[in-house]
Amino acid sequence: MSSMRLVIFPVLSLFATVLLFAQQDSRPVGVILTKTLDQSDAILLQLKQGMNFSVLAKEHSMDPSAQDGGYVGSSGTEHLDAHLRDAADRLQPGQYSGAISVPSGFAVVTIFRKAPETRDLDAEKIASIPTDKPVRQSINVAGMSEEDAIFEEYSKRDGWNLDLHEPCTIRKESHLAAVAKMQTLLAAAQNGSGPRPVPIEIMRSHVALAQLFAFVGDLDSSIREWSSAYQIAQANVPGAIPYMQEALGVSYLHRAGIENGVMRDSGAIDIFPPVDPTAHYGRTEDSQKAIQYFLSFLDVAPSDLQVRWLLNLAYSTLGQYPAGVPVRYLISPIVFQSRQNIGRFTDVARETGLNVFAAAGGVIVDDFDNDGFLDVITSSVDLCDSMHYFHNNGNGTFSDRTIEAGLSNQLGALNMIQADYNNDGCMDILMLRGGWEFPIRKSLLRNNCNGTFTDVTRDAGLASGKLAPTQTAVWADVDNDGFLDLFVGNENAPGQLFHNKGDGTFEDISHAAGIDKVGFTKAVVSADYDKDGYPDFYVSNYGGAHILYHNNGDLTFTDVARQAGVQAPFLSFSTWFFDFDNDGWPDLFVTSYHSFTVDQVMRSYLKLPVSAETLKLYRNLHDGTFADVTTEVGLDKVFMPMGSNFGDVDNDGFLDVYLGMGQPSFADLMPHVLLRNDAGKSFVDITASSGTGELHKGHGIAFADLDRSGHEDIVAEIGGSVPGDKHAMRVFRNRSSENDWINLRLIGVKTNREALGAEIKLTVTDDASRPRTIFRTVGQSSSFGANPVEQHIGLGPHAVINSIDIFWPTSRTHQHFENVAVRQYLQIKEFASIYLKLDRPPVQPSSHVAENR
């Protein structure tokens, strides 16, 4: 089985590997990366028939360089992976290699006769993004790439990815077949019934089997296989010993979490820095074994920051951080201290009934049954898991109504977004599938306004075109006709713009609109960044220049990202528009995302030089361009955020940021980060003081006032990318501030019913004594996690609202209200001269919730 070949040592993506080790003696290198050998063989046949290498790379390569025709920069080959180096060194310009096995699949390498022009960032700019020094990449213990390769090769019927149950069946069957085959191969090697493989091949087979068991969470079997591989390494492959030590340490630490129940009910032990220094695991054997392996690793490489960090975490599970950590390896809690304190949050997920246990997924918080209470909907990337619909009972608890709502058959979505696409006053749901993996159909779920939903994807016209993996989409009324249109960002496939025809159906106008560029798209968001009355789109690509689609007002778009200065970071994930400085213009936040981040994150905490891109914050300059103010506001740090979002946790009128951390490997454990916006001038890390530093993987993030207390809570869907890394969600209850607030629910009449794109301006006087303005736009939210459409707006201390002004994009009308009282919930309808005060009393918790507090 070709997909079972496993390279033991972690390496960077082909794209990053070439660039990170650029040499003076350089040649223009190209790469086409595929998951399977058969795919590479098909490409080689087309090359032999005269097809252009760059064209094939753009069409078929899964490396981030695909959008640039496979061009990964001009580089020497001295520090490439040995197989790639040997192949490239033998090539003359215009020649190409055969299929080369690499950790993530199979590669074909070429030396271009002339470096092709990249479409956006030029070669010099691309080459300047990474470092010219080696970067420590995270060890991969999770089995995701192995399982996906097996899944790709497994026999499937035509149309398998249109039936949401069939991917689940394929996943189960392919996993069992792969495990059985690997066990048979190992048994044959052990009893001598077949050709006697060399020790390194046997070791690799044990590692492959360990990864397969890790994927499904069978840590007992996984550790057994890692241990067998370690014994072989000690006897025959000494160079692999450090890798095996780290893998075993990570595996034992992960099993310790499972055995001690932190995956299903985290409690304080899962928060870093420790909320309760005395909290520790009851069963300590696995943590102690992890410590032994990490110490053995560090005996040889004492400065390795990733293993030092994991060692500190292992001691933390024993209640021995920081005092018990060997001084030479201690990462001091001082580096995590908060300079500001707005109060501590409390996790109430379990007692409120929001106890979903799932893999990575999305989260939406909104009122789906129009009863005035905010409901919570979650999804899971696990192909066999359904979404969950949690109805708010109005007493501090939630009930799982997934089955009653007709949603139990909606399986395996990495992300979701909501919208009232048909203007019937009931919020609908779009589910997005296949991100990072393979194409599976999306689902448009129409809210029937009676507590149930119907899958109308095909009838609505959203099933057109070739399926592509996706996890991101955004709703916007691109032509201001009062109906919400849909832009879907795909991976290595054209973006899709679906125009709402106003009758419940959509028409794909992507090509005619000029919005169908190809990229490995991880995020799409919308805002009228230049205030011309039409919503624009921003596209974040992983491994390529980003796109800013300017809306020309005639159902066409022009990419102006280069001119606007918003093409970076080159490797990125989630993004959003928000007005961080309250000047009335939407600014742009973009996260960086790297496969080698733990080392770099620790360097950021320790204030050491980093060798990777940081977050990016672009301030809108009001002239169609943006300024990079990342360093100016203190965001020039490397994190590894996946899900992330914004809200106002202290009701001061400035929008704060919460980053959910993680990557697929069990080794990638970093505390989530809460960044307080300090009056639009800087962002301050208040994770430690707020107690929100959840250690396990964070995906969908939402800010919402769940209990109508006047404070925005943080709802975080927690869980890794594989079934063996599932986790309970977090609901961080916020009681941090006594500042004033107002909550506005806008209802469109000529503008779309949801009021998406409507702009709000509040003029407020508070303890600062002089009037100030606060701006919000309805619908702006992160690309990975969905806040409610209603607008919770912090006002500051002892506030007086002098005026509220609203601009409606379709009718282009304004509303003006004066002397509005604070701390109330208002409904404002387009064209109305008065507003409606809504009855939203604070939730009175049930006796069960009160007892658990």
Side-chain angles (χ1 to χ4, degrees):
M1 180 183 297
S2 58
S3 63
M4 288 297 182
R5 302 179 192 177
L6 194 77
V7 173
I8 297 302
F9 301 100
V11 297
L12 301 174
S13 69
L14 301 185
F15 177 85
T17 303
V18 176
L19 292 181
L20 289 179
F21 304 106
Q23 304 295 305
Q24 290 182 348
D25 181 18
S26 61
R27 298 186 297 169
V29 179
V31 168
I32 297 175
L33 176 65
T34 64
K35 283 191 176 181
T36 69
L37 181 60
D38 288 345
Q39 291 169 336
S40 281
D41 287 342
I43 285 168
L44 287 168
L45 178 61
Q46 293 180 76
L47 287 170
K48 185 177 180 180
Q49 294 171 343
M51 284 291 292
N52 181 276
F53 188 98
S54 290
V55 171
L56 292 173
K58 180 179 178 181
E59 292 177 349
H60 301 293
S61 179
M62 66 181 201
D63 198 67
S65 61
Q67 70 167 358
D68 291 319
Y71 176 49
V72 293
S74 294
S75 170
T77 60
E78 180 181 349
H79 295 285
L80 287 175
D81 171 89
H83 298 295
L84 295 178
R85 181 179 66 243
D86 292 343
D89 285 345
R90 291 195 298 267
L91 295 176
Q92 296 299 316
Q95 294 181 336
Y96 50 85
S97 71
I100 304 168
S101 177
V102 294
S104 49
F106 294 85
V108 177
V109 179
T110 192
I111 303 297
F112 288 110
R113 298 183 188 278
K114 178 182 178 182
E117 293 184 4
T118 56
R119 297 186 306 169
D120 293 287
L121 297 175
D122 58 28
E124 181 179 354
K125 175 66 175 176
I126 290 174
S128 72
I129 290 174
T131 176
D132 60 358
K133 299 177 182 178
V135 177
R136 177 22 161 132
Q137 188 179 13
S138 296
I139 190 171
N140 182 18
V141 181
M144 181 174 177
S145 59
E146 289 81 2
E147 287 281 351
D148 281 352
I150 293 163
F151 186 99
E152 288 276 8
E153 290 189 352
Y154 197 77
S155 177
K156 309 175 190 69
R157 68 173 180 85
D158 291 343
W160 65 271
N161 48 9
L162 300 177
D163 179 345
L164 297 180
H165 289 270
E166 192 149 352
C168 170
T169 300
I170 295 169
R171 175 70 89 192
K172 291 178 179 179
E173 291 179 352
S174 63
H175 169 80
L176 292 174
V179 169
K181 183 168 186 175
M182 291 305 302
Q183 290 175 328
T184 299
L185 291 173
L186 283 168
Q190 187 174 11
N191 61 30
S193 60
R196 182 68 180 173
V198 296
I200 192 171
E201 292 298 331
I202 299 176
M203 182 183 71
R204 287 173 173 169
S205 296
H206 282 296
V207 169
L209 196 51
Q211 295 281 29
L212 297 180
F213 285 130
F215 180 84
V216 295
D218 183 355
L219 268 294
D220 294 346
S221 298
S222 183
I223 288 172
R224 183 182 65 244
E225 298 301 328
W226 282 117
S227 298
S228 297
Y230 185 36
Q231 292 173 5
I232 296 172
Q234 289 175 309
N236 300 284
V237 195
I241 289 175
Y243 180 82
M244 299 302 171
Q245 290 171 334
E246 186 177 0
L248 278 163
V250 168
S251 298
Y252 274 112
L253 186 59
H254 190 73
R255 189 171 74 174
I258 295 173
E259 294 293 317
N260 284 276
V262 300
M263 303 301 190
R264 289 190 175 272
D265 188 5
S266 298
I269 192 64
D270 232 8
I271 300 293
F272 194 91
V275 175
D276 179 1
T278 66
H280 59 81
Y281 286 175
R283 304 173 65 175
T284 62
E285 182 180 356
D286 282 345
S287 291
Q288 291 169 346
K289 287 183 178 178
I291 287 171
Q292 292 171 8
Y293 281 110
F294 293 147
L295 287 173
S296 296
F297 179 102
L298 291 168
D299 283 343
V300 178
S303 61
D304 188 281
L305 280 176
Q306 170 154 323
V307 176
R308 279 182 60 194
W309 164 244
L310 291 170
L311 178 70
N312 280 253
L313 286 186
Y315 275 106
S316 180
T317 67
L318 300 177
Q320 298 177 16
Y321 173 87
V325 183
V327 174
R328 68 186 299 207
Y329 300 135
L330 175 65
I331 298 175
S332 172
I334 294 174
V335 305
F336 301 99
Q337 285 182 348
S338 301
R339 293 191 290 107
Q340 296 179 0
N341 187 352
I342 66 168
R344 190 170 290 279
F345 292 61
T346 304
D347 179 25
V348 297
R350 177 172 54 85
E351 54 260 47
T352 58
L354 291 170
N355 54 356
V356 63
F357 177 73
V363 64
I364 305 172
V365 180
D366 219 316
D367 183 359
F368 284 91
D369 55 0
N370 293 326
D371 65 354
F373 296 106
L374 296 174
D375 309 304
V376 176
I377 294 183
T378 67
S379 67
S380 171
V381 71
D382 188 328
L383 298 176
C384 300
D385 279 358
S386 80
M387 65 188 297
H388 286 275
Y389 171 34
F390 291 98
H391 173 260
N392 190 327
N393 299 323
N395 63 357
T397 68
F398 292 78
S399 297
D400 190 336
R401 293 190 179 173
T402 308
I403 295 174
E404 295 90 330
L407 297 173
S408 58
N409 288 323
Q410 293 295 327
L411 310 179
L414 183 56
N415 198 15
M416 308 175 295
I417 57 174
Q418 83 274 34
D420 182 4
Y421 79 92
N422 56 359
N423 286 341
D424 65 354
C426 300
M427 200 64 71
D428 312 297
I429 304 168
L430 178 73
M431 305 192 73
L432 301 152
R433 298 184 173 92
W436 299 107
E437 295 184 290
F438 25 74
I440 302 177
R441 76 167 179 90
K442 50 189 168 287
S443 294
L444 178 62
L445 307 175
R446 186 188 64 214
N447 189 334
N448 299 320
C449 301
N450 61 1
T452 68
F453 293 78
T454 300
D455 189 333
V456 296
T457 314
R458 182 172 296 279
D459 291 342
L462 295 186
S464 64
K466 184 179 179 180
L467 280 181
T470 181
Q471 63 171 50
T472 185
V474 64
W475 298 93
D477 185 358
V478 298
D479 54 354
N480 283 330
D481 65 352
F483 294 95
L484 292 176
D485 310 299
L486 177 65
F487 180 38
V488 179
N490 295 312
E491 295 177 359
N492 285 341
Q496 293 173 289
L497 179 59
F498 293 96
H499 182 248
N500 191 330
K501 295 174 7 181
D503 59 0
T505 68
F506 296 80
E507 177 186 9
D508 188 339
I509 62 168
S510 312
H511 185 67
I515 205 166
D516 56 345
K517 284 192 173 185
V518 176
F520 196 79
T521 299
K522 301 312 299 176
V524 291
V525 288
S526 179
D528 182 7
Y529 78 92
D530 58 351
K531 312 261 305 170
D532 66 354
Y534 290 93
D536 312 292
F537 294 116
Y538 185 73
V539 180
S540 164
N541 293 313
Y542 182 81
H546 301 338
I547 302 168
L548 179 60
Y549 282 121
H550 174 259
N551 189 334
N552 301 321
D554 59 359
L555 289 180
T556 68
F557 293 78
T558 302
D559 179 13
V560 296
R562 181 195 292 271
Q563 297 91 325
V566 293
Q567 289 183 294
F570 196 74
L571 297 172
S572 68
F573 200 155
S574 60
T575 184
W576 60 71
F577 284 102
F578 72 151
D579 185 0
F580 84 93
D581 54 0
N582 273 324
D583 68 350
W585 291 75
D587 309 298
L588 186 57
F589 181 90
V590 197
T591 65
S592 57
Y593 190 74
H594 306 267
S595 60
F596 44 77
T597 319
V598 171
D599 170 82
Q600 295 295 300
V601 174
M602 292 313 307
R603 295 182 71 84
S604 283
Y605 276 116
L606 294 169
K607 296 181 169 53
L608 298 173
V610 297
S611 302
E613 294 173 286
T614 68
L615 306 169
K616 285 292 183 185
L617 180 64
Y618 296 106
R619 173 180 284 140
N620 194 320
L621 298 181
H622 311 174
D623 62 356
T625 67
F626 294 76
D628 185 343
V629 296
T630 309
T631 301
E632 178 184 328
V633 301
L635 290 177
D636 52 338
K637 297 177 175 63
V638 178
F639 292 115
M640 52 183 187
M642 295 179 294
S644 51
N645 215 326
F646 61 90
D648 186 358
V649 292
D650 56 353
N651 281 338
D652 66 348
F654 291 94
L655 292 167
D656 314 299
V657 171
Y658 189 64
L659 304 176
M661 300 296 184
Q663 295 188 70
S665 176
F666 297 163
D668 293 330
L669 301 173
M670 292 300 305
H672 300 187
V673 174
L674 181 57
L675 301 168
R676 179 179 179 264
N677 184 340
D678 195 353
K681 298 180 176 60
S682 66
F683 286 83
V684 180
D685 188 338
I686 60 170
T687 308
S689 61
S690 63
T692 55
E694 162 66 45
L695 277 169
H696 283 88
K697 315 302 172 57
H699 284 80
I701 306 292
F703 285 73
D705 181 8
L706 286 181
D707 57 356
R708 298 305 190 193
S709 67
H711 304 82
E712 284 194 302
D713 310 303
I714 300 175
V715 181
E717 204 273 6
I718 309 295
S721 301
V722 302
D725 203 12
K726 291 183 178 180
H727 202 281
M729 74 184 303
R730 290 281 196 179
V731 179
F732 288 111
R733 175 160 290 162
N734 179 5
R735 293 291 186 270
S736 65
S737 172
E738 292 304 315
N739 287 343
D740 290 313
W741 52 272
I742 192 79
N743 185 294
L744 304 180
R745 177 68 172 98
L746 304 190
I747 305 294
V749 177
K750 188 173 183 181
T751 298
N752 64 87
R753 173 68 182 257
E754 189 179 321
L756 206 65
E759 299 174 359
I760 302 167
K761 173 184 175 183
L762 290 91
T763 304
V764 175
T765 303
D766 56 24
D767 275 357
S769 74
R770 64 177 183 272
R772 65 186 180 108
T773 51
I774 301 171
F775 296 90
R776 295 288 185 272
T777 300
V778 177
Q780 285 184 5
S781 195
S782 169
S783 63
F784 209 126
N787 297 341
V789 171
E790 66 178 42
Q791 297 296 297
H792 176 95
I793 306 172
L795 306 174
H798 307 108
V800 174
I801 299 176
N802 301 322
S803 62
I804 298 177
D805 290 276
I806 300 171
F807 170 72
W808 297 87
T810 297
S811 63
R812 297 185 180 269
T813 57
H814 292 81
Q815 286 168 305
H816 179 79
F817 303 95
E818 295 184 353
N819 301 319
V820 179
V822 301
R823 296 178 179 251
Q824 58 179 339
Y825 298 84
L826 306 181
Q827 177 176 293
I828 302 176
K829 203 168 187 177
E830 189 175 12
F831 305 122
S833 58
I834 59 174
Y835 54 77
L836 175 66
K837 183 177 179 179
L838 301 175
D839 183 22
R840 300 284 189 269
V843 167
Q844 298 300 316
S846 67
S847 58
H848 172 72
V849 175
E851 288 169 3
N852 279 280
R853 286 185 182 172

